[in-house]
Amino acid sequence: MTPEEREARRRRLAEVFGDVLPDQTSDDADEPETRTDSNEEWLKRQVPPHHG
């Protein structure tokens, strides 16, 4: 499939279903490498409140 065909297909699908999702969402983006805490501290912060 050529790039032109892919673009035409994308436009047709957007016309029918709407273009509701962005190309990239926050869950598939790379996380910044600025975290300075240890893995253990990070894991402790992930515990839900009801697990005290």
Side-chain angles (χ1 to χ4, degrees), residues 2-45:
T2 67
E4 293 83 15
E5 291 171 330
R6 281 195 296 270
E7 180 62 24
R9 182 170 190 237
R10 187 197 63 75
R11 279 196 308 265
R12 282 193 308 271
L13 289 172
E15 286 175 13
V16 173
F17 297 106
D19 194 13
V20 295
L21 294 176
D23 290 335
Q24 184 175 23
T25 59
S26 62
D27 62 331
D28 65 352
D30 291 334
E31 291 186 24
E33 297 295 328
T34 58
R35 191 168 61 202
T36 58
D37 57 345
S38 70
N39 285 337
E40 186 175 338
E41 291 170 354
W42 182 85
L43 286 171
K44 287 179 181 177
R45 287 197 319 270

